[in-house]
Amino acid sequence: MFNLDRNTVFSSLMGILIISLVINCFTEIYNASVVFPVLGTLVVGGILVFSALFTRIASFLQLHWIDLMVGAGITCMIVDYLLGNSDLWQLGCLCVLILYCILRLIRKINYVVIYIGVMLAAFLLATIGYLQLFKILPSGNSHFSITGYYHNPAVYAGVMSLLLCVIVGFIIYTFRYSFYRKIRNISYCLCVFCFPVFICADSRAAWVALIVSVCWGILRIYRLQIRMLYKSYVPVMLVLLFALSLLASYGLYKYRPDSVDGRILIGKVGLEMIKNKPLTGFGAGGFAANYMYYQARYLKEKGTEHEKYLAGSTHLAFNEPLRLLVEYGIAGLLIYVILIYYILQSRRNHLIIRLSQMLLMAILIWGLFAYPNRVFPIILFTVLALALLVRLDKVKRKKVLLTSRCFVVIKVTFLFLVLLLGDGISNMLPDYHQLYLLAHSSPNMMSEKVLGEYNKLEHRMTDEIGFYYHYCLTLNRYRKDELLKEKLSFLTSRFPSPTVFVLKGDVHKRLKEFIEAEESYKMAHWMMPTLQTPRGKLAFLYQETGRKQEALLLANELLTEKVKVYGFATHDLHLKLKEVFSEQLTKSLIKKSKAYEKN
């Protein structure tokens, strides 16, 4: 089982890659939770390609429609990269697609070695979670106790649910076979170790994804036995399943009703977007670029008080079918449905096929409540599972014989791609390190030095939203208003948010462009009505421009309404409002008390 041959080495590299998805060895790199797995994918893909130069790959290839889609994706991404339109995320996705091709061409894979990599990854991820839970390791987000090396617990729990899905699926499938007894016993212990921290991560989407995928796996693995049972207990089983589903749905809703209502609001606004462009969609990244504008319009025109209270600053759909409809129209949704059909269709009862199907099922379910397209480990898991599924699919397809000349062309092509990606990513690493240093630089640093560094980075990070966000904050700090206006246009078109429009309003105000400042503050307010900062800025603007009655009404509203999240910024705003409007508020209070006494 563990002979050290070339196939075992290849499979060990895949296991190491899976482990790299849950750890992070970078400390001073901006967006390190993405940079490290992207680099790991490139390194493993590069080693596999270099190894393939000295070995013979599969003598023929059975072409699949997914292979053609992957080929089209690689072509588009290479063109984008050569045109200078790619960021680190796109290069990482290109690495993943190349890895798909390598897995399709490798002759044999030692699946046990890859499974050991999955178990080690689950063990490491759970260990990190426990260390964070007991305050031994710092969390990646000060608002949550468990995040792993990710930015929030939803991603941590999502990745954990996929690893546990494979482990539980392995236990279910091999339950009847004594050959796997030792590794199955280790899997039992690992489940006992992982489940408590998985539950403590408090992610309903991950819980549902794991439960549904495991139940579906049981139905597929033991379908013959279940059919025999159905003959006697069909009505009872259906009623029981329906009742349990209703009870579970109600319980999950009551557990966090505001969260569910917030997702419903996103769905309503998303439907407004779909109505405008149902066929073509808004294009890649169109949801993030347009959603906040549509949310502002919806809340202003027909939003209820509860919806205004729930609305937040988001650029995620929290539902993959909704995002695909918004960005790619009906064609995007159609491809999604075809992919689901391919994943769920009946196949021979093979261990790796069932584990791949269960893994993809978990990703599909998690994608109904979260954002798998923005989590690099989940993208990698999706592509690896699809590669294994297509590889083992015995449906008759057209065979393409690979001659010696084909071998040379394939190997040289992949070697060129890996070298191209290696050059691109290695050039980006110093830039991401420099961006991290700039984002954490002291406010007392010389403005010329800091802005000079940002200027150097700009032409190499033209599509990096995080770069422009920090650049604009720095320009605002040093009051470089004309340049700030220019750079804010990128964020307002690609990643609009209340923060961006408050910055925009501040710039216009300092430049005495009061009408534009008012419009920006109002847009920020309607994007997220519970946020007090835009209305506070608007009150001060009205006070300075002589609209004192409107300023007073706003100040009174801000000081008396229920605050959704009372933080330091809200405290400072209230202090400033009381300082500026104290005399007017006192007079207003006296007038109200006199009117009350007369009545």
Side-chain angles (χ1 to χ4, degrees), residues 352-531:
I352 304 305
I353 288 177
R354 292 298 178 226
L355 293 185
S356 298
Q357 285 180 310
M358 287 175 66
L359 181 61
L360 290 167
M361 172 63 77
I363 293 168
L364 288 172
I365 298 299
W366 195 73
L368 295 177
F369 313 101
Y371 37 91
N373 69 304
R374 300 308 304 169
V375 182
F376 189 80
I378 290 180
I379 290 175
L380 183 56
F381 279 131
T382 303
V383 173
L384 293 183
L386 276 175
L388 296 179
L389 202 57
V390 173
R391 180 186 176 90
L392 295 169
D393 194 345
K394 295 301 181 182
V395 177
K396 288 184 178 181
R397 301 191 300 270
K398 183 178 180 180
K399 290 184 179 181
V400 178
L401 294 175
L402 301 178
T403 62
S404 299
R405 185 173 295 178
C406 287
F407 287 139
V408 173
V409 172
I410 290 171
K411 291 175 181 180
V412 170
T413 300
F414 282 117
L415 180 62
F416 169 75
L417 289 177
V418 167
L419 292 175
L420 189 69
L421 287 171
D423 177 65
I425 293 174
S426 62
N427 289 334
M428 286 182 176
L429 286 179
D431 296 338
Y432 278 83
H433 172 63
Q434 186 62 32
L435 180 57
Y436 175 90
L437 296 178
L438 290 171
H440 293 80
S441 62
S442 169
N444 299 323
M445 286 184 66
M446 295 289 291
S447 62
E448 292 79 8
K449 181 180 178 182
V450 175
L451 295 177
E453 292 296 332
Y454 273 112
N455 287 332
K456 291 177 185 176
L457 289 177
E458 185 175 9
H459 74 278
R460 298 194 297 270
M461 305 186 86
T462 53
D463 287 321
E464 180 59 61
I465 291 169
F467 164 79
Y468 277 99
Y469 179 76
H470 288 289
Y471 191 13
C472 288
L473 290 178
T474 303
L475 290 170
N476 186 61
R477 183 171 61 193
Y478 294 125
R479 298 293 189 264
K480 303 293 184 179
D481 292 334
E482 291 295 342
L483 186 57
L484 178 56
K485 274 179 64 177
E486 177 188 335
K487 304 307 174 187
L488 279 171
S489 62
F490 174 87
L491 291 177
T492 55
S493 63
R494 294 280 298 277
F495 210 73
S497 69
T499 303
V500 169
F501 274 91
V502 167
L503 276 178
K504 194 168 184 283
D506 290 344
V507 174
H508 287 304
K509 183 181 174 183
R510 289 195 294 265
L511 295 174
K512 307 300 182 183
E513 299 167 352
F514 297 125
I515 295 175
E516 292 83 353
E518 181 182 6
E519 290 173 353
S520 297
Y521 290 141
K522 284 183 176 179
M523 176 60 76
H525 162 62
W526 285 114
M527 283 181 170
M528 188 175 171
T530 54
L531 193 64

